[in-house]
Amino acid sequence: MQTEGPESDVVLSSRIRLARNLRGSPFPMLATPAQSQAVMEQLLDVAENGRLNGLGPLEIIRLSELTELEKLVLVEKHLISPNLANESRNGALILDQKEDVSVMVNEEDHLRIQCMRPGFQIREAWETASLIDDVFEEQIDYAFDEKHGFLTSCPTNVGTGIRASVMMHLPALVLTGQINRILSAVTQVGLAVRGLYGEGSEATGNLFQVSNQITLGQSEEEIIENLHQVARQMLEHERAARSKLLSDSRARIEDRVRRSFGILSHAAIMDSKEASQRLSDVRLGVHLGLLPQVNVKTLNELLVSTQPGFLQMTYGEALHPEQRDMTRADLIRDRLAISS
Amino acid sequence: MLCQECGKRPATLHFTKILNGEKTELHICESCARDKGEFIPGTQSGFSIHNLLSGLLDFEQHAGTGASKPPAVRCDSCGMTYSQFSKIGRFGCSDCYKHFGERLDPLLKRVHGNTTHVGKVPKRAGGKVKTKREIDRLKQEMQGRIENEDFESAAQLRDRIRELEKEMGGI
């Protein structure tokens, strides 16, 4: 994601995912190769025939044509799920040029429409996702029933099939020890908090993904509004914690931020865990006005480009872990030097 | 506190299970939890939302009358049985919802706190649902007008409701 959106000092991105299935075809898990092939062709046909042309030119990628590394890069860019990358029988991806709309075919459900927006724009993301949903619905018969709504493979998605999420950078809440209290409050109002790469992943670099859990019995608007309000409060808590850090312990926080910047600008070896922690410090420093020379856009790029898959894609497929850590350090040094 | 399983390592995971009002507590270390395949947050120990769901479903089956085993329920379209579903926590096809019927309600209630969809309705597949919802909405509005003794506009709403019901084929 290249551009910055509203409230991007705390909210990096907003995302909507809609799970949909075709009527009369078994879900991907049970489908025979011929059945999943037929589903794929039918869905790709909607994209290929320009029926989604409001989105501009689309790229259509059949996962069977990709190497493992290429799939990993798509995962790191949040364009496909690890699940689709690992079990890509007749999996496919429909992608718009800006890479903020991505449609997964034959993941856990036949169709997963994803729409990403920079910053805090969850409502806008929903509007786009819903329009794309309408285009598919004009052409294909969805599995839908009156009682259960959109029928999904997993009972946790049934109803609206919506997963709305915001990616938040919460370093001050972590530093001031408030994060656990806030996260447990968040989970009590029907939201889930995860690490950067979704289910089961750790919250590295103080990045947290907050998303709805409930998909049945609430309308899309209610779900989004709930998430919006909770994220808004978390955002305000984070900002308050940042100004408190700055007023109460300016020297300490400035030292931390500058050290991290120093290490990123000079280190020769950098593993991915350290990179995400140091980049988190630097991002905080930029937003506190302590590192005016660093460009946030550079930090956003580094967040993706320092991931293992992306690094190997850029610098050769055979990087072993230590080479990877050296290459990562080189890349970060170069990018920070250009940006500052 | 030491792990209840091995008695050597410190217990780092604490579970409270409440079954039929009876509370059991379990304090174990991560290594024993992994061996037992218990839930460890944030690790790749094979725990997933599907395991959790199948746990819930299992519980429902055992919580029944006990001795009498429920008859095998099967989805006619994809062949998945209810017991398979309760093991993997995922449906085989969209018709499973129909074939497993009301058995699903307790599960959905537990996961979502609700059993009925109120969100978006697709234009083609859900045309009737939309009309039905509109009828329900109008009926409520009509009731309100009657309570306010605004009989004239209530009668107008009644006529509109009749029209819509006719469109739906007398439902």
Side-chain angles (χ1 to χ4, degrees):
Chain A
M1 193 142 306
Q2 297 290 316
T3 46
E4 270 188 76
E7 327 287 9
S8 60
D9 56 329
V10 180
V11 184
L12 270 69
S13 62
S14 306
R15 186 154 51 126
I16 293 286
R17 180 271 277 153
L18 298 177
R20 300 288 187 254
N21 286 287
L22 274 64
R23 184 182 298 276
S25 304
F27 293 146
M29 182 185 62
L30 273 199
T32 63
Q35 285 166 327
S36 61
Q37 168 96 21
V39 167
M40 179 172 80
E41 296 309 334
Q42 204 181 339
L43 291 171
L44 294 186
D45 183 58
V46 177
E48 269 164 353
N49 291 331
R51 290 161 188 154
L52 288 169
N53 50 17
L55 299 170
L58 296 171
E59 197 179 346
I60 289 169
I61 303 164
R62 286 168 169 79
L63 289 211
S64 58
E65 293 166 5
L66 299 184
T67 64
E68 290 306 310
L69 187 56
E70 286 168 325
K71 288 185 218 169
L72 182 58
V73 170
L74 292 176
V75 173
E76 288 171 359
K77 290 164 94 176
H78 292 281
L79 295 172
I80 63 172
S81 64
N83 189 19
L84 188 70
N86 294 335
E87 302 170 42
S88 49
R89 307 134 304 222
N90 275 309
L93 173 69
I94 304 164
L95 196 60
D96 79 326
Q97 247 175 351
K98 286 190 291 178
E99 299 193 346
D100 52 13
V101 171
S102 66
V103 180
M104 284 189 276
V105 174
N106 282 331
E107 208 249 15
E108 186 178 286
D109 296 294
H110 294 142
L111 193 58
R112 290 207 161 181
I113 301 165
Q114 281 200 112
C115 190
M116 273 224 252
R117 284 277 179 278
F120 197 21
Q121 300 193 71
I122 194 70
R123 293 168 179 148
E124 292 78 357
W126 157 243
E127 279 165 26
T128 311
S130 185
L131 285 176
I132 297 166
D133 181 36
D134 293 343
V135 175
F136 275 102
E137 203 248 323
E138 278 169 24
Q139 311 296 327
I140 51 175
D141 280 324
Y142 277 158
F144 178 88
D145 86 27
E146 189 180 330
K147 181 170 161 61
H148 295 116
F150 293 97
L151 305 176
T152 53
S153 164
C154 181
T156 56
N157 294 317
V158 72
T160 55
I162 200 172
R163 190 76 67 223
S165 62
V166 286
M167 184 73 73
M168 306 186 84
H169 184 226
L170 306 172
L173 291 177
V174 173
L175 272 175
T176 55
Q178 298 177 69
I179 193 74
N180 288 334
R181 197 169 49 82
I182 288 179
L183 295 187
S184 81
V186 167
T187 50
Q188 279 172 19
V189 293
L191 300 176
V193 186
R194 301 193 178 115
L196 179 56
Y197 288 94
E199 212 169 298
S201 70
E202 259 181 88
T204 51
N206 302 317
L207 291 168
F208 297 86
Q209 192 192 65
V210 185
S211 61
N212 68 303
Q213 289 278 74
I214 291 168
T215 57
L216 187 64
Q218 290 183 358
S219 70
E220 290 81 355
E221 286 74 15
E222 286 169 328
I223 289 167
I224 288 161
E225 209 43 44
N226 184 26
L227 176 69
H228 194 272
Q229 284 186 17
V230 171
R232 162 71 57 195
Q233 285 186 38
M234 292 172 72
L235 164 99
E236 276 157 17
H237 278 298
E238 169 65 21
R239 282 187 185 151
R242 287 183 190 181
S243 20
K244 196 158 164 49
L245 279 177
L246 207 52
S247 62
D248 292 2
S249 35
R250 186 182 175 104
R252 263 177 185 280
I253 199 72
E254 188 160 356
D255 181 61
R256 184 188 176 107
V257 162
R258 288 184 175 281
R259 273 171 193 275
S260 284
F261 181 64
I263 289 170
L264 288 174
S265 323
H266 292 90
I269 299 176
M270 179 69 60
D271 66 37
S272 59
K273 200 171 172 190
E274 182 174 7
S276 46
Q277 186 53 51
R278 303 278 177 208
L279 286 168
S280 166
D281 289 342
V282 169
R283 181 185 293 274
L284 175 66
V286 171
H287 290 301
L288 290 176
L290 300 172
L291 288 174
Q293 70 272 38
V294 180
N295 183 337
V296 179
K297 211 174 123 186
T298 309
L299 296 179
N300 288 344
E301 281 167 21
L302 285 174
L303 196 65
V304 177
S305 62
T306 56
Q307 297 294 322
F310 209 96
L311 264 186
Q312 295 185 72
M313 197 66 181
T314 318
Y315 296 96
E317 304 212 354
L319 291 180
H320 60 73
E322 188 158 343
Q323 276 179 319
R324 210 187 296 160
D325 292 349
M326 287 160 63
T327 312
R328 181 180 293 111
D330 291 347
L331 172 74
I332 295 173
R333 277 200 322 269
D334 288 353
R335 296 296 299 134
L336 288 180
I338 294 168
S339 125
S340 51
Chain B
M1 184 184 292
L2 286 177
C3 170
Q4 286 179 354
E5 284 291 311
C6 63
K8 289 181 207 145
R9 289 173 287 263
T12 50
L13 294 158
H14 310 275
F15 299 94
T16 308
K17 191 155 70 180
I18 300 175
L19 189 62
N20 298 329
E22 204 177 305
K23 193 167 144 185
T24 13
E25 285 185 4
L26 183 63
H27 308 279
I28 53 175
C29 68
E30 224 170 274
S31 155
C32 291
R34 201 172 292 123
D35 293 344
K36 281 172 71 92
E38 295 275 1
F39 163 35
I40 308 172
T43 64
Q44 298 293 335
S45 60
F47 175 81
S48 72
I49 188 71
H50 307 298
N51 300 132
L52 179 66
L53 284 173
S54 76
L56 288 175
L57 290 160
D58 250 6
F59 168 75
E60 265 154 31
Q61 289 190 329
H62 298 315
T65 44
S68 67
K69 221 177 155 200
V73 177
R74 182 183 285 272
C75 170
D76 289 348
S77 308
C78 70
M80 182 172 283
T81 63
Y82 188 78
S83 87
Q84 278 175 320
F85 163 66
S86 69
K87 281 200 187 76
I88 57 175
R90 277 188 279 183
F91 297 104
C93 74
S94 54
D95 290 342
C96 291
Y97 283 90
K98 198 166 62 197
H99 293 122
F100 298 156
E102 284 173 3
R103 283 165 175 267
L104 294 175
D105 282 359
L107 168 73
L108 294 175
K109 186 111 192 152
R110 203 163 298 160
V111 174
H112 299 287
N114 220 308
T115 58
T116 311
H117 177 59
V118 295
K120 185 170 178 175
V121 173
K123 286 189 194 76
R124 294 184 322 131
K128 280 201 171 180
V129 183
K130 259 198 169 146
T131 318
K132 213 168 162 188
R133 280 198 194 168
E134 175 69 1
I135 292 173
D136 288 345
R137 194 188 62 78
L138 291 173
K139 278 184 178 163
Q140 267 192 350
E141 205 179 320
M142 182 175 75
Q143 204 54 42
R145 304 249 168 121
I146 292 172
E147 277 160 25
N148 291 331
E149 302 188 356
D150 181 0
F151 299 114
E152 200 172 321
S153 69
Q156 282 170 4
L157 288 175
R158 181 202 56 207
D159 295 343
R160 176 73 187 133
I161 292 167
R162 283 191 183 154
E163 266 173 45
L164 288 174
E165 282 176 340
K166 218 184 229 168
E167 269 175 37
M168 287 188 65
I171 294 171

